Amino acid sequence: MVQLVEKLAAEQSLTHEELVRLIRDRDDATARLLAQKAADRRRGYYGDRVILRGLIEFTSFCKNDCYYCGLRRSNRKLSRYRLTGEQILAQCGKGYALGFRSFVLQGGEDPGYSPRSIAQVVSAIKDRWPDTAVTLSAGERSRDTYRLWRDAGADRYLLREETADRDHYGTLHPGDMSYENRIRCLYDLKELGYQVGCGFMVGSPGQGTEQIVRDLELIRLFQPHMVGIGPFIPQKDTPFAGEGTGSAGLTCYLLSIIRLLVPKAMIPATTALNTVHPQGRAWGLRSGANVCMPDLSPVQVRGQYAIYDRKLCTGLEAAEEVEALKEQIRSLGLLPDMGRGDHIDLR
Ligand code: SAM
Ligand code: SF4
């Protein structure tokens, strides 16, 4: 195992069989070694900085029906909300006053906004606060829509592939969604000049070592600017309500591997990780993550963005508590950074 870790750190790649072995035979000693190598590698590119981004969950409506997600259209139990452009701008204003210079606008694929209305929100943010970066995460769209948003000033786009195994993709999504389109989106986004993030849930139903390795291989091939991974957490009103929760330990182990595969990537310690483990954020940051995204949505709607059960949106997950979050980051020997947080090649 030590040799595998050394090889991964030196060459930024392993063969398929080696990755399978590294994951299948994982143990605590290997996890510690991987985390140390990953933290060293992060330090080499980004110093001790941890980037803080304000996450605005702008709509809980979604036209899709992903089996794992509480926002799926068939979930009639969820009370839905949609922020107006003015409300989104107001949240950015609050975030700006708190010091945030990087905003992430995430939501379901909501037909209630036209592509043009989202473009208007992005350009309004850029007009008012030109020193900020805007990340969109609004699902699968046409190349033209992605171009419109990019022209409006969007800097980045998050779209997890969810799984790089076509058959597994088919068990997580209904037939009106396809793996091909997901991948088409990722390549369109990259060609349009976005900083692009992909990623997957750890422990999603039907995921085994083979599926994880395919995701890692996709990440290595695609060379994303950002990688988001977090544990799968069941949501009570979805078809996967009775499934098991993804493991924090495996998530952090994979965070370290991903840091070594794509060393310059921006990698968040996600809210999902912190939801499944009380020390999830600290563990993720020690394992090679370098981003935190506290919740900057209006307080009154936070509970309604119920993608999974018991999702945290208070305490250090809340943007208003950013000073306490900074304190935690410092206590880990790291430096909170509220700047734009660009990928190192784009600075
Ligand atoms: N609709 C956009 C999309 O699907 O890309 C963005 C919003 S979606 C809620 C953001 C991410 O939440 C998804 O990429 C998925 O990985 C994650 N997610 C959804 N349901 C989840 C669950 N039950 N547990 C953990 N993560 C989940
Ligand atoms: Fe919609 Fe995204 Fe949830 Fe799928 S994961 S149902 S696209 S919000």
Side-chain angles (χ1 to χ4, degrees):
M1 294 296 267
V2 174
Q3 275 175 340
L4 285 181
V5 176
E6 298 288 353
K7 181 177 173 197
L8 173 60
E11 300 181 12
Q12 297 174 26
S13 79
L14 287 177
T15 66
H16 185 91
E17 290 68 31
E18 288 169 336
L19 281 172
V20 168
R21 201 142 49 81
L22 186 60
I23 292 165
R24 194 195 51 208
D25 299 343
R26 70 183 178 282
D27 53 32
D28 289 348
T30 311
R32 277 195 298 276
L33 181 62
L34 268 173
Q36 182 208 319
K37 296 265 181 206
D40 289 349
R41 191 55 54 89
R42 175 192 57 200
R43 194 169 304 115
Y45 287 111
Y46 291 104
D48 288 328
R49 287 195 302 277
V50 175
I51 306 299
L52 305 183
R53 311 194 196 282
L55 176 62
I56 302 171
E57 295 163 332
F58 67 94
T59 176
S60 66
F61 285 92
C62 189
K63 72 176 179 54
N64 290 333
D65 221 13
C66 309
Y67 299 136
Y68 44 84
C69 176
L71 307 194
R72 64 196 303 268
R73 67 167 183 260
S74 298
N75 183 5
R76 309 257 178 262
K77 298 210 173 137
L78 189 72
S79 68
R80 311 264 175 175
Y81 70 91
R82 174 183 297 130
L83 302 186
T84 63
E86 275 313 311
Q87 285 175 308
I88 297 172
L89 286 168
Q91 292 312 116
C92 291
K94 284 182 192 161
Y96 195 90
L98 288 165
F100 288 96
R101 297 293 178 267
S102 174
F103 301 118
V104 181
L105 272 48
Q106 184 169 82
E109 289 186 33
D110 180 357
Y113 298 95
S114 65
R116 194 155 296 282
S117 64
I118 292 184
Q120 282 164 353
V121 173
V122 173
S123 53
I125 296 171
K126 290 298 210 160
D127 282 350
R128 285 196 206 176
W129 302 287
D131 56 339
T132 59
V134 173
T135 303
L136 291 176
S137 178
E140 299 177 18
R141 307 288 175 142
S142 69
R143 189 182 173 100
D144 284 347
T145 295
Y146 288 148
R147 184 181 290 114
L148 180 73
W149 293 347
R150 176 86 183 116
D151 290 346
D155 303 274
R156 314 189 180 114
Y157 205 97
L158 301 173
L159 184 76
R160 293 180 175 180
E161 75 279 7
E162 312 298 357
T163 172
D165 177 321
R166 196 174 272 94
D167 292 339
H168 186 216
Y169 192 92
T171 67
L172 298 178
H173 302 94
D176 58 355
M177 293 179 76
S178 77
Y179 178 68
E180 284 69 25
N181 196 48
R182 200 90 180 162
I183 299 299
R184 188 271 305 162
C185 289
L186 285 172
Y187 279 92
D188 275 354
L189 288 161
K190 213 176 194 192
E191 284 166 21
L192 289 164
Y194 284 91
Q195 297 175 50
V196 185
C198 64
F200 59 96
M201 292 173 288
V202 177
S204 62
Q207 182 190 63
T209 302
E210 190 63 35
Q211 282 71 37
I212 293 174
V213 169
R214 287 195 193 189
D215 275 301
L216 298 177
E217 289 174 334
L218 174 82
I219 288 167
R220 174 154 160 72
L221 178 74
F222 183 64
Q223 292 284 315
H225 303 91
M226 305 171 283
V227 182
I229 67 164
F232 164 76
I233 306 172
Q235 204 279 351
K236 61 185 174 42
D237 302 311
T238 63
F240 290 158
E243 301 284 340
T245 296
S247 126
L250 179 55
T251 302
C252 291
Y253 193 84
L254 294 172
L255 276 179
S256 301
I257 294 177
I258 291 168
R259 169 63 63 204
L260 296 174
L261 280 175
V262 280
K264 299 176 186 174
M266 307 301 290
I267 306 178
T270 56
T271 302
L273 178 57
N274 214 35
T275 299
V276 299
H277 192 283
Q279 303 301 324
R281 186 185 310 103
W283 196 355
L285 292 173
R286 283 202 192 96
S287 303
N290 65 335
V291 177
C292 291
M293 301 200 294
D295 196 341
L296 184 58
S297 311
V299 173
Q300 66 275 16
V301 302
R302 283 185 194 168
Q304 284 166 263
Y305 199 81
I307 53 181
Y308 49 77
D309 292 336
R310 296 183 315 279
K311 179 168 169 285
L312 297 181
C313 57
T314 55
L316 302 200
E317 290 296 336
E320 312 80 73
E321 305 296 333
V322 69
E323 291 306 321
L325 175 59
K326 286 184 189 172
E327 208 36 63
Q328 189 199 22
I329 291 169
R330 286 191 203 101
S331 76
L332 299 169
L334 299 167
L335 281 177
D337 182 332
M338 296 188 84
R340 283 174 47 99
D342 284 307
H343 185 276
I344 196 161
D345 288 348
L346 294 142
R347 284 186 182 162

